[in-house]
Amino acid sequence: MTSTTTADRPQRARLNRLIRELWFQVVLAAVLGIAVGILAPGLGEALKPLNDWFIALVKMIVVPVVFCVVTTGIASMDNLRKAGRIGVKAIGYFLVLSFVSMLIGLVVANVFQPGSGLSVDPSSLNADDVPETATEHATLTGFVSSLIPTSLLGAITGDAILAALMVSIIFGVALNMAGEDGAPLTRGIKALSDVVFRIVGWVMRLAPLGTFGALATVVATYGADSLKQLGYLIILFTATCVLYVLVVLGAIMRACRLSLFGLMRFLKAELLVALSTCSSEAVLPQLVRKLEILGIGRPVVGIVIPSGFSFNLDGSAVYLTMASLFLAQAMGIDLSWQQQLIMVGVMMLTSKGTAGIAGGAFIVLASTVTAVGHVPLAALSLIVGIDRILNEGRVFINVLGNAVATIVIGKWEKDIDMDQARAILSSGATPPQSDRATELDSAAADACEVDTTEADAAK
């Protein structure tokens, strides 16, 4: 009897530890949400506010995180040229990966022809099915306007990431140039950063509730029809996303001599939350923390991640070209390679103006369709019903791709502890930390069971 009781204790301990893991809570909430959506559709639709509230809480804390991380990262630099180098390298990397992603979408859509055979009559399409937000076309002037806040403090208290990023960079440069005069304010912002990340830990505890509400609502709203309607496009896009992760991102990680699967395991909680809520912003604060733990310098993380969530949307790039060709094929329109490349060029511009907009990729698609003029805008009604499903693949690649981009830029800048990164990604080991770091990270550690170290103390 005693031996049986003793044997049961480790099992109960492992189970209790598993239950406390955020990723397990998210998976459990996802299963329960799907079950509720199928068995009680009315209740599932009523649970939509749970996801809305969670996303709202995350957006509440995103801008303070960006401000604290970017400002302190630049203010603490010995050489401001480093910030410029990081920015230029990041933008160059983003443009190359976006172009490659769009070309992959073009090749897949041309080879497999997901829209051929539908023979849709344009007169049968209902433009009322296209969301009003799709008519808010992205423009270059609109993008530049989004960079300029109404006021300095307004950018910090608002919800526009691009404007907050601009002000944070300017503020950080000014603090750096101020030298000793600005040191007290720099220390104050660092202290504020500790408080902000404690709040992040509290918010992330609610991720399972957001996941539960999101999936219950999706299944209740679309039901089985959402899985049948245009199923070939869904399967083809999903397969393309999987191959993109394994081939493109896998090759980049191998070049960095790090494990892609180790990175996915390390970021499993963040990827699951992004996948279930279909929101990249939902994981931005915690992703910043995790990459610092991985051994990447704060200046690199602070610049690459916020800018990457605006410019490095690889999943959205694959979606844009595949969806555009799908609509053209469904309408019986044969696009030449010249027209397709022009379409890619337009998307490279318009896709940079929808950062932080819900369903931004759909708006870019509408902008491109209107600008190129090869497909009527009403054709978007063909895929609006499955856009939420396609968005999951987009968000997953966007989050993982930005994590990989931060590693690449960190290695490029020699601002990453490769031994620490290999240890964490290969075996899950974490570096030692100070008592002060433990105290400051206790809330986030309780929430995610992964923030068991402080990057600054480890360096």
Side-chain angles (χ1 to χ4, degrees), residues 66 144 228 352 354 378 399 405 421 443 450:
V66 171
V144 175
K228 297 177 182 178
K352 310 309 177 190
T354 56
V399 172
V450 289

Side-chain angles (χ1 to χ4, degrees), residues 70 86-87 89-91 93-94 165 291 296 298-312 401-410:
V70 174
I86 294 173
K89 290 176 180 178
I91 295 299
Y93 176 90
F94 298 158
L165 180 61
L291 291 174
I296 306 173
R298 170 163 285 199
V300 173
V301 176
I303 294 175
V304 176
I305 287 296
S307 58
F309 273 69
S310 299
F311 296 101
N312 189 36
N402 279 305
V404 172
T406 309
I407 292 173
V408 171
I409 304 301

Side-chain angles (χ1 to χ4, degrees), residues 1-14:
M1 182 68 178
T2 304
S3 60
T4 303
T5 303
T6 304
D8 289 341
R9 287 178 182 174
Q11 294 179 356
R12 287 198 299 269
R14 286 193 294 269

Side-chain angles (χ1 to χ4, degrees), residues 354-432:
T354 56
I357 301 176
F362 195 79
I363 297 175
V364 172
L365 181 61
S367 301
T368 305
V369 164
T370 303
V372 178
H374 61 288
V375 174
L377 184 63
L380 292 177
S381 61
L382 293 174
I383 61 172
V384 67
I386 60 170
D387 184 70
R388 176 60 169 74
I389 298 174
L390 298 177
N391 195 30
E392 294 187 0
R394 300 198 301 255
V395 170
F396 184 90
I397 293 182
N398 291 345
V399 172
L400 185 60
N402 279 305
V404 172
T406 309
I407 292 173
V408 171
I409 304 301
K411 187 174 175 62
W412 201 347
E413 278 291 306
K414 297 182 174 59
D415 196 4
I416 178 175
D417 188 334
M418 292 300 293
D419 292 334
Q420 180 172 318
R422 289 193 186 96
I424 292 176
L425 298 186
S426 62
S427 62
T430 53

Side-chain angles (χ1 to χ4, degrees), residues 196-449:
V196 167
F197 276 107
R198 185 177 291 273
I199 297 174
V200 169
W202 294 342
V203 172
M204 290 304 294
R205 292 181 182 183
L206 302 176
L209 290 179
T211 299
F212 175 70
L215 291 182
T217 302
V218 169
V219 175
T221 302
Y222 299 111
D225 290 339
S226 65
L227 303 179
K228 297 177 182 178
Q229 180 186 10
L230 308 176
Y232 184 37
L233 177 61
I234 296 174
I235 295 172
L236 186 60
F237 178 72
T238 302
T240 305
C241 290
V242 172
L243 288 176
Y244 182 88
V245 169
L246 296 178
V247 177
V248 179
L249 297 184
I252 295 174
M253 288 295 286
R254 282 194 298 273
C256 294
R257 298 183 180 179
L258 292 173
S259 169
L260 174 65
F261 292 105
L263 179 63
M264 294 172 66
R265 184 172 59 250
F266 180 62
L267 299 177
K268 58 180 178 292
E270 289 71 29
L271 292 173
L272 285 170
V273 170
L275 191 63
S276 56
T277 61
C278 284
S279 172
S280 299
E281 289 184 355
V283 297
L284 188 150
Q286 195 63 18
L287 185 63
V288 167
R289 193 62 143 185
K290 295 289 283 291
L291 291 174
E292 287 185 359
I293 291 172
L294 197 61
I296 306 173
R298 170 163 285 199
V300 173
V301 176
I303 294 175
V304 176
I305 287 296
S307 58
F309 273 69
S310 299
F311 296 101
N312 189 36
L313 306 176
D314 300 338
S316 299
V318 174
Y319 160 83
L320 288 173
T321 47
M322 286 190 65
S324 294
L325 286 187
F326 171 84
L327 294 177
Q329 292 163 5
M331 306 293 293
I333 301 172
D334 185 20
L335 296 178
S336 66
W337 276 104
Q338 291 83 354
Q339 290 175 307
Q340 293 181 31
L341 291 177
I342 291 174
M343 180 179 66
V344 168
V346 173
M347 288 177 179
M348 289 289 289
L349 296 175
T350 56
S351 61
K352 310 309 177 190
T354 56
I357 301 176
F362 195 79
I363 297 175
V364 172
L365 181 61
S367 301
T368 305
V369 164
T370 303
V372 178
H374 61 288
V375 174
L377 184 63
L380 292 177
S381 61
L382 293 174
I383 61 172
V384 67
I386 60 170
D387 184 70
R388 176 60 169 74
I389 298 174
L390 298 177
N391 195 30
E392 294 187 0
R394 300 198 301 255
V395 170
F396 184 90
I397 293 182
N398 291 345
V399 172
L400 185 60
N402 279 305
V404 172
T406 309
I407 292 173
V408 171
I409 304 301
K411 187 174 175 62
W412 201 347
E413 278 291 306
K414 297 182 174 59
D415 196 4
I416 178 175
D417 188 334
M418 292 300 293
D419 292 334
Q420 180 172 318
R422 289 193 186 96
I424 292 176
L425 298 186
S426 62
S427 62
T430 53
Q433 63 177 359
S434 66
D435 294 337
R436 175 63 176 160
T438 304
E439 179 184 349
L440 293 176
D441 275 352
S442 58
D446 291 340
C448 297
E449 293 295 325

